[in-house]
Structures are given as structure tokens and as C-alpha cells.
Amino acid sequence: MPKKIVVFLFTIFVAVIVAGCGNGATNGKENKELVVVDWGGPYTEIHKEVVFKPFEEKYDVKVKVVTPPDVGKLKSMVESGNVEWDVVSVGDDFAIRGGREGLLEKLDFNVIKTDGLPEELVHDYAVPENTFSTTISFNTDTFPVGKHPTTWAEFFDTTKFPGDRGLYNDPMWTLEAALLADGVDPENLYPLDVDRAFKKLDEIKDHVKVWWSAGAQPPEILATNQVPLTSSWAGRVIAAKGDGAAVDVDFNQGLILSNSWAVPKGAPNKDLAMKFIAFSLEPEQQAALSNKYDNAPANAKAIELLTDESKVRLGLDDSSDQLQKQIYINTKWWVDNYEEVNERFRTWLLE
């Protein structure tokens, strides 16, 4: 065989070997990196321990964590065609809006199983990773357990339960609470009767001393008795109670929302992202997170795997009864109506 041909064939052989190495074929491992965008803080540290690291071990991949989610950045990535993220934790409302705007991939429900997930929170473009409730919360020195408001109607009753109030500085959750206080049945809550809600809010407006906007505020204003009653994200008050503060929550008529997993349109590792989401929704991972953090599992099959302490802490000690007492926020309604209602809410606050 001529020397030139031998050299040519050897060169091709070497190129093939190098290409194989460059594609990450190392000891049979994929050698991939999955970029997951999460909220940060203790929540993400626990997430790393109970979900991200076990996923790495199962699939022989590296999970790179970015914090916090940034909707504007996600939109810029998709529009420029330079998407760096694979999985993003988003609010349920953005899951719907982002899907409509072409910013998210449709989920592969052949890979992602939705058994045990609340159907109200499952969309084409996102599934719930865990849930949290906005609840009636109270100072136990002023209103001992059993002598506290247990409905939004009682929360709005400043004669029977005197004292200042705290409410969320946003129409979402706040209008639902007002309508429930005015006697609307949960099953008839949507579409929201906005005029009726504001009329009910007029009755309590002078008693609202704090319009809170950050989750850390309610436990603080309750613990110091700045207000004896406020709406709150339940987990924050439960954590403060665990630290010895004279505070507690009532899950009756709690308003449920979720953190949701979504996949940006054009994600570089879309198939692996679907496997990650599926893995995170398995009962074992769901329970492991809720045993260490104050969000409830989205997968009802995980409840039986929770410790007794966690069930009590999350208000799931009688899971079927407790969940029936709560109401899922209709985020589809809010996506369609939020801008208009929020503008009215802002004007109302200044009146």
C-alpha cells in the first residue's frame, strides 16, 4: 500500500478516536451538565441534598445550580436563541403565561408521570414541584389556639376578633380571602366577582395596619404583636413557631399555590430535563424535601412517607380532610385578569 494512503488512513483513525473522546465517552458515562435554576437559600441547599445529588448519581450527570430565577433573562435567552438553562423553577402563573408566549417547551408526559399531582396545577408547560398555602395566621397570646379566627369571615370580623390586621399587598390571594369572607362558596369562587371583593375589602381597610409584601414580614409582625392577625405564607409562620414564637396558622380556607418546574424553549438538554422533573416528582424525593422544608409535597403519594412531625407541621396530619379544607388558586384566571385588577387594587390602596 502506498505510503501516502497509509498516512491518510492513520490520520482518519486518529481523528475518529479524538472525536469519540471529545463527545464525552468516558468510562461509559454521559458526562453531561444539567443547568437547574432554583430560588436559593436554605430551600436550594435542601434541594441539592435530597433531589439534585441523587439525580446526579442515578444519571451520571452534573447538576449546575443557578439562583434565583429571572423571567427577563429567560425571555432574552429564548429570543436570542442562546439558551443556557435546562430546568427553571417558576410561579404557576408564569408557567401559563410563558407557555402562551412561546418561552417554554411542552412537557413530555410520557416521561413525566402526573399520578398524585393536583390536576389544577398541571399544565402543558409546567408541573408543580411543591405547594404552599396563604393562611389565616395569629398571635397565640392574643388569640389562643381554639379561640382564634378559623374562617376568612371571622378574620374580617373586627368586633368578635378585635385588633389590627395584616394583608398581602397584592390582589392575588387578597381578593379570594375577601370573597370567602363575604360568603362565596369555594366552588363558586371563579371567575372572581371583583366588585364584590373590593366592597368587602372596604369594610376592613381601616383595620389593615400592615400591607406586607415579603414572606418574612408576617411572622415578625405577629411575634411582636404589631398585629394579632394577618394572612401569611404558612411555612414562614410555622418555622417561627418552631423557633418558639407565639404564633400559629389555621389551614382552613387556605389558598394553595405552587412552585413549578418548566423547561425553557430551546433548552440544550431537553430530554434530560424531562427525566429530572420526573425524578423530582417521585414520592421519595418529594417527601425528603418536605421533611426538611416547610412546603408540602405536590405528589399526594408522598404524604404517607412524611414523618409524623412533618405532617403536623405542614397541616397534613389528616391529609384528606386538611386538603379538602383548602382552595387552589385559579392562576389561569389571574393570568387573564391580573394587570387590570392590580391597577384597580393600587388605586384602591391610595383612596
Side-chain angles (χ1 to χ4, degrees):
M1 182 180 292
K3 183 177 180 181
K4 288 184 178 179
I5 295 177
V6 172
V7 172
F8 175 74
L9 292 175
F10 178 77
T11 302
I12 293 175
F13 176 76
V14 171
V16 169
I17 296 297
V18 171
C21 293
N23 285 332
T26 306
N27 296 327
K29 294 186 177 182
E30 291 186 69
N31 231 18
K32 286 187 176 180
E33 180 178 83
L34 187 78
V35 179
V36 177
V37 187
D38 206 25
W39 295 100
Y43 176 74
T44 293
E45 291 307 309
I46 294 171
H47 239 163
K48 289 178 181 178
E49 176 188 346
V50 302
V51 178
F52 302 168
K53 289 182 180 178
F55 180 80
E56 288 178 325
E57 294 170 1
K58 180 174 181 177
Y59 286 94
D60 286 327
V61 297
K62 174 65 178 176
V63 174
K64 178 182 177 181
V65 181
V66 175
T67 62
D70 184 329
V71 170
K73 187 172 182 179
L74 186 153
K75 186 174 182 179
S76 296
M77 285 183 180
V78 174
E79 290 178 347
S80 68
N82 186 27
V83 180
E84 300 173 0
W85 298 344
D86 296 303
V87 183
V88 184
S89 181
V90 298
D92 188 46
D93 54 339
F94 177 75
I96 299 171
R97 188 180 298 109
R100 291 179 181 178
E101 295 177 0
L103 300 176
L104 304 174
E105 296 279 358
K106 278 194 174 183
L107 298 184
D108 185 350
F109 290 109
N110 292 318
V111 176
I112 299 168
K113 306 305 178 185
T114 60
D115 298 347
L117 300 181
E119 62 181 22
E120 296 91 338
L121 300 176
V122 175
H123 311 299
D124 287 344
Y125 298 93
V127 287
E129 49 177 309
N130 47 66
T131 65
F132 57 95
S133 298
T134 295
T135 60
I136 297 168
S137 300
F138 53 97
N139 178 289
T140 54
D141 289 334
T142 302
F143 297 113
V145 175
K147 297 183 179 180
H148 66 278
T150 60
T151 65
W152 290 110
E154 291 182 337
F155 181 95
F156 274 64
D157 188 343
T158 57
T159 300
K160 184 177 179 180
F161 299 95
D164 291 323
R165 303 299 200 254
L167 279 174
Y168 187 41
N169 189 12
D170 193 279
M172 186 185 289
W173 290 306
T174 303
L175 265 62
E176 280 90 346
L179 289 170
L180 291 168
D182 204 39
V184 176
D185 291 332
E187 59 269 23
N188 297 324
L189 198 54
Y190 298 95
L192 297 183
D193 186 333
V194 176
D195 290 338
R196 183 174 176 178
F198 277 104
K199 185 177 180 180
K200 188 65 177 179
L201 284 170
D202 284 337
E203 297 179 11
I204 201 174
K205 185 177 183 181
D206 290 343
H207 297 274
V208 180
K209 186 176 182 180
V210 178
W211 289 98
W212 59 273
S213 56
Q217 288 177 266
E220 180 180 343
I221 61 178
L222 286 176
T224 59
N225 214 12
Q226 184 178 352
V227 298
L229 290 171
T230 185
S231 62
S232 79
W233 296 331
R236 298 299 188 102
V237 175
I238 291 169
K241 177 186 175 182
D243 291 337
V247 298
D248 210 339
V249 304
D250 195 299
F251 280 96
N252 186 45
Q253 295 188 335
L255 298 161
I256 301 175
L257 205 58
S258 70
N259 293 315
S260 298
W261 287 128
V263 177
K265 188 76 172 179
N269 296 293
K270 183 177 73 170
D271 292 343
L272 191 59
M274 302 298 171
K275 293 177 182 178
F276 171 84
I277 293 173
F279 180 81
S280 76
L281 296 179
E282 292 174 358
E284 293 76 14
Q285 284 74 249
Q286 290 268 296
L289 177 67
S290 294
N291 276 329
K292 292 176 176 286
Y293 195 79
D294 293 321
N295 283 7
N299 189 341
K301 295 180 180 180
I303 294 175
E304 63 185 24
L305 302 179
L306 296 174
T307 65
D308 291 341
E309 178 186 1
S310 294
K311 290 178 183 178
V312 173
R313 174 172 50 83
L314 296 167
L316 298 171
D317 45 315
D318 183 358
S319 59
S320 60
D321 181 53
Q322 188 61 60
L323 290 174
Q324 287 174 3
K325 290 179 179 179
Q326 299 189 68
I327 301 138
Y328 288 101
I329 292 289
N330 187 328
T331 47
K332 290 182 180 178
W333 187 91
W334 277 110
V335 168
D336 292 335
N337 297 278
Y338 182 83
E339 186 174 343
E340 180 181 352
V341 176
N342 187 50
E343 183 177 347
R344 179 172 175 180
F345 183 72
R346 296 296 148 206
T347 300
W348 176 83
L349 286 174
L350 296 173
E351 292 174 347

